[in-house]
Amino acid sequence: MAALAKSRTLIYNLNSKLGSLGMLNRLTRRHFPSLTPQILASSDFHYNNSPNLFVSRHFESTKAQTHPGSLHGDDDQLLDFPGGKVGITSQMRFISETNDWRVPCYRVLDDDGQPIGEFVEVDEETALKMYTNMVTLQVMDTLFYEAQRQGRISFYVTTIGEEAINIASAAALSMDDIIFPQYREAGVLLWRGFTLQEFANQCFSNEADYGKGRQMPVHYGSRKLNYITIASTVATQLPHAVGAAYSLKMDKKDACVITYFGDGGTSTGDFHAAVNFAAVMETPVIFFCRNNGWAISTPISDQLRSDGVVVRGQGYGIQSIRVDGNDALAIYNAVGAARKMAILEERPILIEAMTYRVGHHTTSDDSTRYRPVAEIEWWRNSRDPITKFRKWIEGNRWWNDEEESQLRISTRNNVLEAIQAAEKLKKPPVAELFTDVYDVLPPNLLEQRKSLMETLKKHPEEYPQDFPL
Amino acid sequence: MASDVTRRIGIVGGTAWRWRGARRMSTSTSTSTSSAAKTKSSSGSTKKEVNLFTAINQALHIALDTDPRAYVFGEDVSFGGVFRCTIGLAERFGKNRVFNTPLCEQGIVGFAIGLAAMGNRAISEIQFADYIYPAFDQIVNEAAKFRYRSGNQFNCGGLTIRAPYGAVGHGGHYHSQSPEAFFCHVPGVKVVIPRGPQQAKGLLLSCIRDPNPTLFFEPKSLYRLAVEEVPENDYMLPLSLAEVIREGRDITLVGWGAQLSAMEEACKEAEKDGISCELIDLRTLLPWDKETVEASVKKTGRLLVSHEAPVTGGFGAEIAASVAERCFLRLEAPVARICGLDTPFPLVFEPFYLPNKNKILDAIKSTVKSSRSCVFARQQNIWLALMHPFCPHKQKQPVTGLIESGRPDSGPTVQPAPSADHPVQQ
């Protein structure tokens, strides 16, 4: 192999290459020390002299040659390929399919809500808003779930167990940032000011639903809150996020895009397409993966073979971080830092938040059929992100039991009121069935609308009565 | 990767599309015979003889020039595209607005949807319509429903997807397909196909500026072959409006894109036999202009639809069904569909597969012949017709309508079964 490699080097123009060899990073380490979360959290982590495998450089094919420090080889020679210069080696060595350690999880608070390292200070007001939003989300989920069980709405998706991901990531963003959600991030919308009434109106498909009753419950969207309407399709929003981020970059906006998805979503073609496009086009987009271990009934072990999702970032040439998804402060810090990097450095960032889907996939699912109840309960009781955050704010003397009980009672009443009000509103007019397919109604839809209206006049008793025409 | 290479070779400088004959098509209604390279019309706009890819290129230049929020991107777009449609754009408008994408169609369309959702004109190119299927989900589930599912809070109306389609003489399975019918089943998108340079420029600009996501399929066999005078200025042609490009009395022919040239040839041949054909370019397939087709069929009493895509489930079926709904009592012969065969697109068998002039001409003749005995009735008087010795309706009691459908072999028993026993391919 050595001879072969040597002879091949003759083919390539080696002029000027030897001169750059001094810059080669020869510090390839075979054994990696385990990294502490503090190292991961430090802002210069990605730029320090950590092992090569951690260095996620900002490659661009035309710029690759400006990063000779990333080259390693046995020989002092480089081959010049279209993607940049590559060192040579006489050893036939396959890169391992995985590291011999797992990427650690960045954490700020331990299980008792005590800080274990440095983090960006969160003031009392923000902390309390985060906490009350998490509780509101939990209460809303509980009551809407019950409303579905009572047959008042057709469907619901809870975020139980992922409240910190929802609220803390939203808290770290600016209102100008654009959200391309999956369907388990209602809390992001809550943080931005979507009211309980607006949530209820969508779930009850009434005339006040912005989506005009066309989509299943929980498919929220809000133009004024920069929250792109949810679709049931998985991870299809990721490429959209990249295109939107490209637009922000072209407009030189002080804003980024964040898109959420689950671990299952990382198996889709759209995930690959989006992350690769984002890397190549250097767009300010945060890919936020909620790795909650379950895609309906499919466990993560049936989903992928890599060390979760975080390691994929490097494969696409983008920076990535793994965070504790049940630690609101860790998420707040990571998303805040990612946002800054995304905008200032015009680059995508991948965040993998490790968590657990405590609720069922949807109201159509009974997860006890495929996972032990004890496992669910352990996460619910021992790893609850809201409890952990409460410990921290109580430790700061920002919160007490009385406020807790008042918050839960008033939130419960507010949600119930919203449900009752939403139930009383009429359904959207039947005419809305035909609008918004195009900007205006084409002749075929005009014709079909006319025909339907005639049918409704002829057989009014055959159709739901609570719809105005 | 090998397939990626084969995707690109052979097409750019290809010569094999000359099987159609290296002729210049008359693709516009204005039968300008001027041989001058550049003329000036009475309206003052300068015209120049250009081919189809140049007309497309002109439209893209104008689109980028007139809207700073317009972007053009796709595989190999930067250097001008494998069909040269994007030539000169990156140099003029910069690599931020005209750029290559990774080789990933779902990524291209998904990216374009997001870009369009932010109020931009996202003009994306799929290198061949044959490769649009990885983006099918993004088009069908995302682009088409973006406005509807949000209650009009969001839309991706600035999205335009350009893709070369159709037979090219040597394209085989994966450089020849006509996938338009798949997208005509999707409420929320528009599907547009031009027949030549002048149409292409005006329709493409309309697609780009239309507030709805639009698919624009370009007949790649005509990129170099079709040359005609094209105004150099910025102009738009209406969407969802068909154009009668040849008026006639005896039969209506409906088609689009490159197929119109074969249909036009057949019309000319038929004329020699005394058959007057009306030829309609549908131009926009979704939402399509039923009124123009209906008016024509009511006049001629006969319909032939023709497209390169396989006949079964093709868009011709939709046209035939709509005409049956609206013109049944005026039809005097079964609707003829002269289309691609129900096979994958076959390389060496392409001349056999295609709905060429001869197949169309035979169908015109048999359609007209099969109902000729009633031509008299349509144009004169129901009572005279019934007295005509060859009229199939002769022995039937007088009808209240004008005439029922003439079934060629049914003799005196008239049953309205217009197409059940009519061979699809002649």
Side-chain angles (χ1 to χ4, degrees), chain A residues 156-173:
Chain A
Y156 194 68
V157 171
T158 69
T159 58
I160 305 287
E162 299 176 42
E163 293 90 347
I165 286 173
N166 270 258
I167 302 299
S169 65
L173 298 168

Side-chain angles (χ1 to χ4, degrees), chain B residues 256-269:
Chain B
W256 49 86
Q259 186 59 14
L260 286 167
S261 67
M263 297 171 81
E264 192 177 43
E265 283 180 61
C267 291
K268 285 178 186 162
E269 292 283 319

Side-chain angles (χ1 to χ4, degrees), chain B residues 82-322:
Chain B
V82 297
F83 287 109
R84 316 314 290 146
C85 291
T86 55
I87 200 160
L89 297 175
E91 292 82 350
R92 182 173 163 198
F93 298 101
K95 63 176 184 168
N96 283 340
R97 294 182 65 202
V98 180
F99 49 90
N100 287 339
T101 63
L103 202 164
C104 180
E105 286 77 12
Q106 71 192 94
I108 294 170
V109 175
F111 176 91
I113 291 170
L115 190 61
M118 297 292 285
N120 302 289
R121 303 218 179 275
I123 309 162
S124 58
E125 176 177 309
I126 299 298
Q127 200 163 75
F128 285 85
D130 312 65
Y131 302 119
I132 205 166
Y133 307 116
F136 198 66
D137 182 51
Q138 282 290 344
I139 296 168
V140 173
N141 271 333
E142 306 301 317
K145 298 171 178 59
F146 213 86
R147 185 194 296 275
Y148 193 76
R149 73 188 183 196
S150 74
N152 203 24
Q153 292 191 92
F154 302 100
N155 73 79
C156 60
L159 169 67
T160 302
I161 302 167
R162 296 176 40 243
Y165 87 96
V168 69
H170 59 293
H173 296 341
Y174 303 114
H175 299 84
S176 309
Q177 295 176 45
S178 301
E180 69 272 7
F182 293 113
F183 302 99
C184 291
H185 201 57
V186 185
V189 298
K190 295 190 175 183
V191 179
V192 178
I193 305 182
R195 66 174 181 271
Q198 192 198 73
Q199 291 286 312
K201 183 174 173 183
L203 289 171
L204 178 55
L205 279 165
S206 292
C207 286
I208 290 168
R209 292 161 177 172
D210 191 85
N212 300 285
T214 310
L215 287 138
F216 189 77
F217 291 113
E218 298 162 6
K220 63 177 158 310
S221 61
L222 303 184
Y223 271 139
R224 288 160 190 275
L225 194 62
V227 177
E228 65 180 351
E229 283 195 340
V230 174
E232 288 192 304
N233 61 316
D234 181 352
Y235 67 96
M236 290 159 71
L237 295 171
L239 302 185
S240 292
L241 189 67
E243 185 181 0
V244 178
I245 54 177
R246 182 189 180 91
E247 290 193 4
R249 296 179 313 275
D250 298 327
I251 182 168
T252 300
L253 278 72
V254 178
W256 49 86
Q259 186 59 14
L260 286 167
S261 67
M263 297 171 81
E264 192 177 43
E265 283 180 61
C267 291
K268 285 178 186 162
E269 292 283 319
E271 202 166 26
K272 292 176 190 166
D273 286 357
I275 301 172
S276 166
C277 301
E278 182 144 304
L279 181 59
I280 296 178
D281 177 3
L282 205 53
R283 303 201 289 190
T284 300
L285 277 68
L286 189 73
W288 66 288
D289 178 6
K290 279 184 200 171
E291 282 66 32
T292 297
V293 174
E294 182 185 351
S296 175
V297 174
K298 280 186 172 162
K299 181 176 75 172
T300 63
R302 301 175 189 86
L303 173 68
L304 180 151
V305 289
S306 181
H307 52 68
E308 280 182 22
V311 63
T312 300
F315 197 66
E318 177 60 32
I319 297 170
S322 293

Side-chain angles (χ1 to χ4, degrees), chain A residues 178 180 210-212 214-215 221-223 227-231 233 236 239-240 242-244 246-248 250-251 269-270 273 276-277 280-281 432-439 442-444 447, chain B residues 69 71 95-97 99-102 104 106-108 110-111 113-115 118 120 137-138 141-142 144 146-154 186-190 211-212 286-287 290-291 326:
Chain A
I178 315 283
F180 281 79
Y210 302 130
K212 304 182 185 175
R214 292 166 183 156
Q215 288 212 78
S222 172
R223 181 164 189 86
Y227 191 94
I228 310 291
T229 304
I230 296 165
T233 41
T236 50
H240 307 170
V242 183
Y246 189 80
S247 181
L248 292 178
M250 287 299 108
D251 293 342
D270 280 324
N276 191 45
F277 269 57
V280 172
M281 297 184 189
E432 295 285 15
L433 161 57
F434 299 96
T435 57
D436 305 333
V437 180
Y438 299 95
D439 62 322
N444 56 323
E447 195 179 299
Chain B
R69 299 196 72 87
Y71 296 87
K95 63 176 184 168
N96 283 340
R97 294 182 65 202
F99 49 90
N100 287 339
T101 63
C104 180
Q106 71 192 94
I108 294 170
F111 176 91
I113 291 170
L115 190 61
M118 297 292 285
N120 302 289
D137 182 51
Q138 282 290 344
N141 271 333
E142 306 301 317
F146 213 86
R147 185 194 296 275
Y148 193 76
R149 73 188 183 196
S150 74
N152 203 24
Q153 292 191 92
F154 302 100
V186 185
V189 298
K190 295 190 175 183
N212 300 285
L286 189 73
K290 279 184 200 171
E291 282 66 32
R326 289 167 168 242

Side-chain angles (χ1 to χ4, degrees), chain A residues 131 255 263 301 422:
Chain A
Y131 183 71
D263 40 295
S301 54

